[in-house]
Coordinates of all heavy atoms in Angstrom, one line a residue:
M779 N -24.9 18.2 -29.0 CA -25.5 19.5 -28.7 C -26.9 19.3 -28.3 O -27.7 18.5 -28.9 CB -25.4 20.3 -30.0 CG -26.1 21.6 -29.9 SD -25.7 22.7 -31.3 CE -26.9 22.2 -32.5
R780 N -27.3 19.9 -27.2 CA -28.6 19.8 -26.7 C -29.5 20.8 -27.4 O -29.1 21.9 -27.7 CB -28.7 20.0 -25.2 CG -28.0 18.9 -24.4 CD -28.2 19.0 -23.0 NE -27.7 20.2 -22.5 CZ -27.8 20.6 -21.2 NH1 -28.3 19.8 -20.3 NH2 -27.3 21.8 -20.8
L781 N -30.8 20.4 -27.5 CA -31.7 21.3 -28.1 C -32.5 22.1 -27.0 O -32.6 21.6 -25.9 CB -32.8 20.6 -29.0 CG -32.2 19.8 -30.2 CD1 -33.3 19.0 -30.9 CD2 -31.6 20.8 -31.2
R782 N -32.9 23.3 -27.3 CA -33.6 24.1 -26.3 C -34.9 23.4 -26.0 O -35.7 23.1 -26.9 CB -33.8 25.5 -26.9 CG -34.5 26.4 -26.0 CD -34.5 27.9 -26.5 NE -33.2 28.5 -26.2 CZ -32.3 28.8 -27.1 NH1 -32.4 28.6 -28.3 NH2 -31.2 29.3 -26.8
K783 N -35.3 23.3 -24.7 CA -36.5 22.7 -24.3 C -37.7 23.7 -24.3 O -38.8 23.3 -24.6 CB -36.4 22.1 -22.9 CG -35.4 20.9 -22.9 CD -35.3 20.4 -21.5 CE -34.3 19.2 -21.4 NZ -34.2 18.7 -20.0
Q784 N -37.4 24.9 -24.0 CA -38.4 25.9 -24.0 C -38.5 26.7 -25.3 O -37.5 26.9 -26.0 CB -38.1 26.9 -22.8 CG -38.2 26.4 -21.5 CD -38.0 27.4 -20.4 OE1 -37.0 28.1 -20.5 NE2 -38.8 27.5 -19.4
E785 N -39.7 27.3 -25.5 CA -39.9 28.1 -26.7 C -39.0 29.4 -26.4 O -38.8 29.8 -25.3 CB -41.3 28.5 -26.8 CG -42.2 27.3 -27.2 CD -42.0 26.8 -28.6 OE1 -41.7 27.6 -29.5 OE2 -42.0 25.6 -28.8
L786 N -38.7 30.1 -27.5 CA -38.0 31.4 -27.4 C -39.0 32.3 -26.7 O -40.2 32.4 -27.0 CB -37.6 31.9 -28.8 CG -36.4 31.3 -29.4 CD1 -36.2 31.9 -30.8 CD2 -35.2 31.3 -28.6
G787 N -38.4 33.2 -25.9 CA -39.2 34.2 -25.2 C -39.2 35.5 -25.9 O -38.8 35.6 -27.1
D788 N -39.6 36.5 -25.2 CA -39.7 37.9 -25.8 C -39.2 38.9 -24.8 O -39.6 40.1 -24.9 CB -41.1 38.2 -26.2 CG -42.1 38.2 -25.1 OD1 -41.7 37.9 -23.9 OD2 -43.3 38.4 -25.3
R789 N -38.3 38.5 -23.9 CA -37.8 39.5 -22.9 C -36.5 40.2 -23.3 O -36.1 41.1 -22.5 CB -37.6 38.7 -21.6 CG -38.9 38.2 -21.1 CD -38.8 37.8 -19.7 NE -40.1 37.3 -19.3 CZ -40.5 37.2 -18.0 NH1 -39.6 37.4 -17.1 NH2 -41.7 36.7 -17.8
N790 N -36.0 39.9 -24.4 CA -34.8 40.7 -24.9 C -34.7 40.5 -26.4 O -35.2 39.6 -27.0 CB -33.5 40.3 -24.2 CG -33.0 38.9 -24.6 OD1 -32.8 38.6 -25.7 ND2 -32.7 38.1 -23.6
L791 N -33.9 41.4 -27.0 CA -33.7 41.4 -28.4 C -32.3 40.7 -28.7 O -32.1 40.3 -29.8 CB -33.6 42.8 -29.0 CG -34.9 43.6 -28.9 CD1 -34.7 45.1 -29.3 CD2 -36.0 43.0 -29.7
V792 N -31.5 40.7 -27.7 CA -30.1 40.3 -28.0 C -29.8 38.8 -27.9 O -28.8 38.4 -28.4 CB -29.1 41.0 -27.0 CG1 -29.3 42.5 -27.0 CG2 -29.3 40.5 -25.6
G793 N -30.7 38.0 -27.3 CA -30.4 36.6 -27.0 C -29.9 35.8 -28.3 O -28.9 35.1 -28.3
A794 N -30.7 35.9 -29.3 CA -30.4 35.2 -30.5 C -29.1 35.7 -31.1 O -28.3 34.8 -31.7 CB -31.5 35.3 -31.5
R795 N -28.8 36.9 -31.1 CA -27.6 37.5 -31.6 C -26.4 37.1 -30.8 O -25.3 36.9 -31.3 CB -27.7 39.0 -31.9 CG -28.6 39.3 -33.0 CD -28.5 40.7 -33.4 NE -29.3 40.9 -34.6 CZ -28.8 41.5 -35.7 NH1 -27.6 42.0 -35.7 NH2 -29.5 41.6 -36.8
V796 N -26.5 37.1 -29.5 CA -25.5 36.6 -28.6 C -25.1 35.2 -29.0 O -23.9 34.8 -29.1 CB -25.9 36.7 -27.1 CG1 -24.9 35.9 -26.2 CG2 -25.9 38.2 -26.7
E797 N -26.1 34.3 -29.1 CA -25.9 32.9 -29.4 C -25.2 32.8 -30.8 O -24.3 32.0 -30.9 CB -27.2 32.1 -29.4 CG -27.1 30.7 -29.6 CD -28.4 29.9 -29.6 OE1 -29.5 30.5 -29.7 OE2 -28.4 28.7 -29.4
A798 N -25.7 33.5 -31.8 CA -25.1 33.4 -33.1 C -23.6 33.9 -33.1 O -22.8 33.2 -33.7 CB -25.9 34.3 -34.1
A799 N -23.4 35.0 -32.4 CA -22.0 35.5 -32.3 C -21.1 34.5 -31.6 O -19.9 34.3 -32.0 CB -21.9 36.9 -31.7
R800 N -21.6 34.0 -30.5 CA -20.8 33.0 -29.7 C -20.5 31.8 -30.6 O -19.3 31.3 -30.6 CB -21.6 32.6 -28.5 CG -20.9 31.5 -27.7 CD -21.8 31.1 -26.5 NE -23.0 30.6 -26.7 CZ -23.3 29.3 -27.1 NH1 -22.3 28.5 -27.4 NH2 -24.6 28.9 -27.4
K801 N -21.4 31.3 -31.3 CA -21.2 30.0 -32.1 C -20.3 30.4 -33.3 O -19.5 29.5 -33.7 CB -22.6 29.5 -32.6 CG -23.3 28.8 -31.5 CD -24.6 28.2 -31.9 CE -25.3 27.5 -30.8 NZ -26.6 26.9 -31.2
K802 N -20.4 31.6 -33.9 CA -19.6 32.0 -35.0 C -18.1 32.0 -34.6 O -17.2 31.6 -35.3 CB -20.0 33.4 -35.5 CG -19.2 33.8 -36.7 CD -19.7 35.1 -37.2 CE -18.9 35.5 -38.4 NZ -19.4 36.8 -38.9
R803 N -17.9 32.3 -33.3 CA -16.5 32.3 -32.8 C -16.1 30.9 -32.3 O -15.0 30.8 -31.8 CB -16.4 33.3 -31.6 CG -16.6 34.7 -32.0 CD -16.5 35.7 -30.9 NE -15.3 35.6 -30.2 CZ -14.2 36.2 -30.5 NH1 -14.1 36.9 -31.6 NH2 -13.1 36.1 -29.8
G804 N -17.0 29.9 -32.4 CA -16.6 28.6 -31.9 C -16.5 28.5 -30.4 O -15.8 27.7 -29.9
M805 N -17.2 29.3 -29.7 CA -17.1 29.4 -28.3 C -18.3 28.7 -27.6 O -19.4 28.8 -28.1 CB -17.2 30.9 -27.9 CG -17.0 31.2 -26.5 SD -17.2 33.0 -26.1 CE -15.7 33.6 -26.8
K806 N -18.0 27.9 -26.6 CA -19.0 27.3 -25.8 C -19.6 28.2 -24.8 O -18.9 29.2 -24.4 CB -18.5 26.0 -25.2 CG -18.0 25.0 -26.2 CD -17.5 23.7 -25.5 CE -17.0 22.8 -26.6 NZ -17.4 21.5 -26.6
Q807 N -20.7 27.9 -24.3 CA -21.3 28.7 -23.2 C -20.4 28.8 -22.0 O -20.3 29.9 -21.4 CB -22.7 28.2 -22.8 CG -23.8 28.5 -23.7 CD -25.2 28.1 -23.2 OE1 -25.3 27.2 -22.4 NE2 -26.2 28.7 -23.7
K808 N -19.8 27.7 -21.7 CA -18.9 27.7 -20.6 C -17.7 28.7 -20.7 O -17.3 29.4 -19.8 CB -18.2 26.3 -20.4 CG -18.3 25.7 -19.1 CD -17.7 24.3 -19.1 CE -18.1 23.6 -17.8 NZ -17.6 22.3 -17.7
E809 N -17.2 28.8 -21.9 CA -16.1 29.7 -22.2 C -16.6 31.2 -22.1 O -15.9 32.0 -21.5 CB -15.6 29.5 -23.6 CG -14.9 28.2 -23.8 CD -14.6 27.8 -25.2 OE1 -15.5 27.7 -26.0 OE2 -13.4 27.7 -25.5
L810 N -17.8 31.4 -22.6 CA -18.4 32.8 -22.5 C -18.6 33.1 -21.1 O -18.3 34.3 -20.6 CB -19.6 32.9 -23.3 CG -20.4 34.2 -23.3 CD1 -19.5 35.4 -23.7 CD2 -21.6 34.2 -24.2
L811 N -19.1 32.2 -20.3 CA -19.4 32.5 -18.9 C -18.1 32.8 -18.1 O -18.0 33.7 -17.3 CB -20.0 31.2 -18.2 CG -21.5 31.0 -18.5 CD1 -22.0 29.7 -18.1 CD2 -22.3 32.2 -17.9
A812 N -17.0 32.1 -18.4 CA -15.7 32.3 -17.8 C -15.2 33.7 -18.1 O -14.7 34.5 -17.2 CB -14.7 31.3 -18.3
Q813 N -15.4 34.2 -19.4 CA -14.9 35.5 -19.8 C -15.8 36.6 -19.2 O -15.3 37.6 -18.8 CB -14.9 35.6 -21.3 CG -13.7 34.8 -21.9 CD -13.5 35.1 -23.3 OE1 -13.7 36.2 -23.8 NE2 -13.1 34.1 -24.1
L814 N -17.1 36.3 -19.0 CA -18.0 37.2 -18.3 C -17.5 37.4 -16.9 O -17.5 38.5 -16.4 CB -19.4 36.7 -18.4 CG -20.2 36.9 -19.7 CD1 -21.5 36.2 -19.7 CD2 -20.4 38.4 -20.0
Q815 N -17.2 36.3 -16.2 CA -16.7 36.4 -14.8 C -15.5 37.2 -14.7 O -15.3 38.1 -13.8 CB -16.4 34.9 -14.3 CG -17.6 34.1 -14.1 CD -18.4 34.4 -12.9 OE1 -17.9 34.9 -11.9 NE2 -19.7 34.2 -13.0
V816 N -14.5 37.0 -15.7 CA -13.3 37.9 -15.7 C -13.6 39.3 -15.9 O -13.0 40.2 -15.3 CB -12.3 37.4 -16.8 CG1 -11.2 38.3 -17.0 CG2 -11.8 36.0 -16.4
S817 N -14.7 39.6 -16.6 CA -15.1 41.0 -16.9 C -15.9 41.6 -15.7 O -16.4 42.7 -15.8 CB -16.0 41.0 -18.1 OG -15.2 40.7 -19.3
G818 N -16.2 40.7 -14.7 CA -16.9 41.3 -13.5 C -18.4 41.1 -13.6 O -19.1 41.6 -12.8
V819 N -18.8 40.3 -14.6 CA -20.3 40.0 -14.7 C -20.5 38.6 -14.1 O -20.0 37.6 -14.6 CB -20.7 40.1 -16.2 CG1 -22.2 39.6 -16.3 CG2 -20.5 41.5 -16.7
D820 N -21.3 38.6 -13.1 CA -21.7 37.3 -12.4 C -22.9 36.7 -13.0 O -24.0 37.2 -12.8 CB -21.8 37.5 -10.9 CG -22.0 36.2 -10.2 OD1 -21.5 35.2 -10.7 OD2 -22.6 36.3 -9.1
M821 N -22.7 35.7 -13.9 CA -23.9 35.0 -14.5 C -23.6 33.5 -14.5 O -22.5 33.1 -14.7 CB -24.0 35.5 -16.0 CG -25.2 35.0 -16.7 SD -25.4 35.5 -18.4 CE -25.3 37.2 -18.3
N822 N -24.6 32.8 -14.2 CA -24.5 31.3 -14.2 C -24.9 30.7 -15.5 O -25.5 31.4 -16.4 CB -25.1 30.7 -13.0 CG -26.6 30.9 -13.0 OD1 -27.3 31.2 -14.0 ND2 -27.2 30.9 -11.8
A823 N -24.8 29.4 -15.7 CA -25.1 28.7 -16.9 C -26.6 28.9 -17.2 O -27.0 29.1 -18.4 CB -24.7 27.3 -16.9
S824 N -27.4 28.7 -16.2 CA -28.9 28.9 -16.4 C -29.2 30.3 -16.9 O -30.0 30.5 -17.8 CB -29.6 28.6 -15.1 OG -30.9 28.8 -15.2
G825 N -28.6 31.3 -16.3 CA -28.8 32.7 -16.7 C -28.4 32.9 -18.2 O -29.2 33.6 -18.9
L826 N -27.3 32.4 -18.6 CA -26.9 32.6 -20.0 C -27.8 31.8 -20.9 O -28.2 32.4 -22.0 CB -25.4 32.1 -20.2 CG -24.9 32.2 -21.6 CD1 -25.0 33.7 -22.1 CD2 -23.5 31.7 -21.7
S827 N -28.2 30.6 -20.6 CA -29.1 29.9 -21.4 C -30.4 30.6 -21.5 O -31.0 30.7 -22.7 CB -29.4 28.5 -20.8 OG -30.3 27.7 -21.6
K828 N -31.0 31.2 -20.5 CA -32.2 31.9 -20.5 C -32.1 33.2 -21.3 O -33.0 33.6 -22.0 CB -32.7 32.2 -19.1 CG -33.2 31.0 -18.4 CD -33.7 31.2 -17.0 CE -34.2 30.0 -16.3 NZ -34.5 30.2 -15.0
L829 N -30.9 33.8 -21.2 CA -30.6 35.1 -21.9 C -30.6 34.8 -23.4 O -31.3 35.4 -24.2 CB -29.3 35.7 -21.5 CG -29.0 37.0 -22.1 CD1 -28.1 37.8 -21.1 CD2 -28.2 36.9 -23.4
E830 N -29.9 33.7 -23.8 CA -29.9 33.3 -25.2 C -31.2 32.9 -25.7 O -31.5 33.0 -26.9 CB -28.8 32.2 -25.5 CG -27.4 32.7 -25.4 CD -26.4 31.7 -25.7 OE1 -26.7 30.5 -25.9 OE2 -25.2 32.0 -25.9
G831 N -32.0 32.3 -24.8 CA -33.4 31.9 -25.2 C -34.4 33.0 -25.1 O -35.6 32.7 -25.3
Q832 N -34.0 34.2 -24.9 CA -34.8 35.4 -24.8 C -35.9 35.3 -23.7 O -36.9 35.8 -23.8 CB -35.5 35.7 -26.1 CG -34.4 36.0 -27.2 CD -35.0 36.0 -28.6 OE1 -35.5 35.0 -29.1 NE2 -34.9 37.1 -29.2
I833 N -35.6 34.6 -22.6 CA -36.5 34.3 -21.5 C -36.1 35.2 -20.4 O -36.9 35.5 -19.5 CB -36.4 32.8 -21.1 CG1 -36.9 31.9 -22.2 CG2 -37.2 32.6 -19.8 CD1 -36.6 30.5 -22.0
R834 N -34.9 35.7 -20.4 CA -34.4 36.5 -19.3 C -34.0 37.9 -19.8 O -33.5 38.0 -20.9 CB -33.1 35.8 -18.7 CG -32.3 36.6 -17.7 CD -31.0 35.8 -17.4 NE -30.1 36.4 -16.5 CZ -29.3 37.4 -16.8 NH1 -29.3 38.0 -18.0 NH2 -28.6 38.0 -15.9
Y835 N -34.2 39.0 -19.0 CA -33.8 40.3 -19.4 C -32.2 40.4 -19.3 O -31.6 39.6 -18.6 CB -34.3 41.3 -18.4 CG -35.8 41.4 -18.5 CD1 -36.7 41.0 -17.5 CD2 -36.5 42.0 -19.6 CE1 -38.0 41.1 -17.6 CE2 -37.8 42.1 -19.7 CZ -38.6 41.7 -18.7 OH -40.0 41.8 -18.7
V836 N -31.7 41.3 -20.1 CA -30.2 41.5 -20.1 C -30.0 42.9 -19.5 O -30.8 43.8 -19.8 CB -29.6 41.3 -21.5 CG1 -30.2 42.4 -22.5 CG2 -28.1 41.4 -21.4
T837 N -29.0 43.0 -18.6 CA -28.7 44.4 -18.1 C -27.8 45.1 -19.0 O -27.1 44.5 -19.9 CB -28.1 44.2 -16.7 OG1 -26.8 43.7 -16.8 CG2 -28.9 43.4 -15.7
D838 N -27.7 46.4 -18.8 CA -26.8 47.2 -19.6 C -25.3 46.8 -19.4 O -24.5 46.7 -20.4 CB -26.9 48.7 -19.4 CG -26.8 49.1 -17.9 OD1 -26.7 48.2 -17.0 OD2 -26.9 50.3 -17.6
V839 N -24.9 46.5 -18.2 CA -23.6 46.0 -17.9 C -23.3 44.7 -18.7 O -22.2 44.5 -19.2 CB -23.4 45.9 -16.4 CG1 -22.0 45.2 -16.1 CG2 -23.5 47.2 -15.7
E840 N -24.2 43.8 -18.6 CA -24.1 42.5 -19.3 C -24.0 42.8 -20.8 O -23.1 42.1 -21.5 CB -25.2 41.6 -19.0 CG -25.3 41.1 -17.6 CD -26.6 40.4 -17.2 OE1 -27.6 40.6 -18.0 OE2 -26.6 39.7 -16.2
L841 N -24.8 43.6 -21.3 CA -24.8 43.9 -22.8 C -23.4 44.4 -23.2 O -22.9 44.0 -24.3 CB -25.9 45.0 -23.1 CG -26.1 45.4 -24.5 CD1 -26.6 44.1 -25.3 CD2 -27.1 46.5 -24.6
V842 N -22.9 45.3 -22.5 CA -21.6 45.9 -22.9 C -20.5 44.8 -22.8 O -19.7 44.7 -23.7 CB -21.2 47.1 -22.0 CG1 -19.8 47.5 -22.2 CG2 -22.1 48.3 -22.3
A843 N -20.5 44.0 -21.7 CA -19.5 42.9 -21.6 C -19.6 41.9 -22.7 O -18.6 41.5 -23.3 CB -19.7 42.3 -20.2
L844 N -20.9 41.5 -23.0 CA -21.1 40.6 -24.1 C -20.5 41.1 -25.4 O -19.9 40.4 -26.2 CB -22.6 40.2 -24.2 CG -23.1 39.3 -23.1 CD1 -24.6 39.4 -23.1 CD2 -22.6 37.9 -23.3
A845 N -20.8 42.4 -25.7 CA -20.3 43.0 -27.0 C -18.8 43.0 -27.0 O -18.2 42.6 -28.0 CB -20.9 44.4 -27.1
D846 N -18.2 43.3 -25.9 CA -16.7 43.3 -25.9 C -16.1 41.9 -26.1 O -15.2 41.7 -26.8 CB -16.2 43.9 -24.5 CG -16.5 45.4 -24.4 OD1 -16.8 46.1 -25.5 OD2 -16.3 45.9 -23.3
I847 N -16.7 41.0 -25.3 CA -16.2 39.6 -25.4 C -16.4 39.0 -26.8 O -15.5 38.3 -27.3 CB -16.8 38.7 -24.3 CG1 -16.4 39.2 -22.9 CG2 -16.5 37.2 -24.5 CD1 -17.2 38.7 -21.8
L848 N -17.5 39.2 -27.3 CA -17.9 38.6 -28.6 C -17.3 39.4 -29.8 O -17.5 39.1 -31.0 CB -19.4 38.4 -28.7 CG -20.0 37.5 -27.8 CD1 -21.5 37.5 -27.8 CD2 -19.5 36.0 -28.0
E849 N -16.7 40.6 -29.5 CA -16.2 41.5 -30.5 C -17.2 41.9 -31.5 O -16.9 41.9 -32.7 CB -14.9 40.8 -31.1 CG -13.8 40.6 -30.1 CD -12.6 40.0 -30.8 OE1 -12.6 39.6 -32.0 OE2 -11.6 39.8 -30.0
V850 N -18.3 42.3 -31.0 CA -19.4 42.9 -31.9 C -19.8 44.2 -31.2 O -19.5 44.4 -30.0 CB -20.6 41.9 -32.1 CG1 -20.2 40.7 -32.8 CG2 -21.2 41.6 -30.7
S851 N -20.6 45.0 -31.9 CA -21.1 46.2 -31.3 C -22.4 46.0 -30.5 O -23.1 45.0 -30.8 CB -21.3 47.3 -32.4 OG -22.4 46.9 -33.2
V852 N -22.6 46.9 -29.6 CA -23.9 46.9 -28.9 C -25.0 47.0 -29.9 O -26.0 46.3 -29.7 CB -23.9 47.9 -27.8 CG1 -25.3 48.1 -27.2 CG2 -22.9 47.6 -26.7
D853 N -24.8 47.8 -30.9 CA -25.9 48.0 -31.9 C -26.2 46.7 -32.6 O -27.3 46.4 -32.9 CB -25.5 49.1 -32.9 CG -25.7 50.5 -32.5 OD1 -26.5 50.7 -31.5 OD2 -25.1 51.4 -33.0
F854 N -25.1 45.9 -32.9 CA -25.4 44.6 -33.5 C -26.2 43.7 -32.6 O -27.2 43.1 -33.1 CB -24.0 43.9 -33.9 CG -24.2 42.5 -34.3 CD1 -24.6 42.2 -35.6 CD2 -24.1 41.5 -33.4 CE1 -24.8 40.9 -36.0 CE2 -24.2 40.1 -33.7 CZ -24.6 39.8 -35.1
L855 N -25.9 43.7 -31.3 CA -26.6 42.8 -30.4 C -28.1 43.3 -30.3 O -29.0 42.5 -30.1 CB -25.9 42.8 -29.1 CG -24.6 42.1 -29.0 CD1 -24.0 42.2 -27.6 CD2 -24.7 40.6 -29.4
L856 N -28.3 44.6 -30.5 CA -29.6 45.1 -30.4 C -30.4 45.0 -31.7 O -31.6 45.4 -31.8 CB -29.6 46.6 -29.9 CG -29.2 46.8 -28.5 CD1 -29.0 48.3 -28.2 CD2 -30.2 46.2 -27.5
G857 N -29.7 44.5 -32.7 CA -30.4 44.4 -34.0 C -30.4 45.6 -34.8 O -31.2 45.7 -35.8
R858 N -29.6 46.6 -34.5 CA -29.6 47.9 -35.2 C -28.5 48.0 -36.2 O -28.4 49.0 -36.9 CB -29.4 49.0 -34.1 CG -30.5 49.1 -33.1 CD -30.3 50.1 -32.1 NE -30.0 51.4 -32.8 CZ -30.6 52.6 -32.5 NH1 -31.5 52.6 -31.5 NH2 -30.3 53.7 -33.1
D859 N -27.7 46.9 -36.3 CA -26.6 47.0 -37.2 C -26.4 45.5 -37.8 O -26.4 44.6 -37.0 CB -25.3 47.3 -36.5 CG -24.1 47.4 -37.3 OD1 -24.2 47.7 -38.5 OD2 -23.0 47.3 -36.8
K860 N -26.3 45.4 -39.0 CA -26.2 44.1 -39.7 C -24.8 43.6 -39.6 O -23.9 43.6 -39.8 CB -26.8 44.1 -41.0 CG -28.2 44.5 -41.1 CD -29.1 43.5 -40.4 CE -30.5 43.9 -40.3 NZ -31.3 43.3 -39.5

């Protein structure tokens, strides 16, 4: 497992929760990217890494797809639900 080279950013609230939910499901970034593609969300590995690192903004379409794929609520990803 590689460690993040950059410090965490402040461009989104969901990155850390996406990463935690993905890891809880035992899912690799590659698997999440493949499911995003199937859902019609075009994101590359760099984009997902930056999203999880809170360096990149997340769109509403991506937010909904991530919640569906990770089987969590949008409120959870936004930190509004524990």
Side-chain angles (χ1 to χ4, degrees):
M779 176 166 84
R780 292 189 300 181
L781 298 176
R782 182 173 278 108
K783 293 180 182 178
Q784 292 181 310
E785 295 290 322
L786 286 177
D788 60 0
R789 296 196 179 194
N790 71 53
L791 298 171
V792 306
R795 288 189 171 232
V796 166
E797 182 177 20
R800 176 180 61 78
K801 287 180 176 179
K802 184 176 180 181
R803 296 179 56 82
M805 184 183 288
K806 296 183 185 228
Q807 281 186 336
K808 228 178 197 182
E809 295 169 296
L810 179 53
L811 285 169
Q813 289 191 35
L814 284 167
Q815 292 284 331
V816 169
S817 297
V819 175
D820 187 25
M821 187 183 301
N822 61 25
S824 175
L826 179 57
S827 180
K828 288 178 180 177
L829 187 148
E830 287 185 351
Q832 298 169 299
I833 297 167
R834 171 190 180 280
Y835 295 110
V836 63
T837 68
D838 54 353
V839 172
E840 293 168 343
L841 183 64
V842 170
L844 287 164
D846 289 346
I847 292 165
L848 296 170
E849 298 179 355
V850 296
S851 69
V852 169
D853 278 342
F854 170 81
L855 292 179
L856 291 172
R858 297 176 56 130
D859 183 26
K860 301 294 174 193

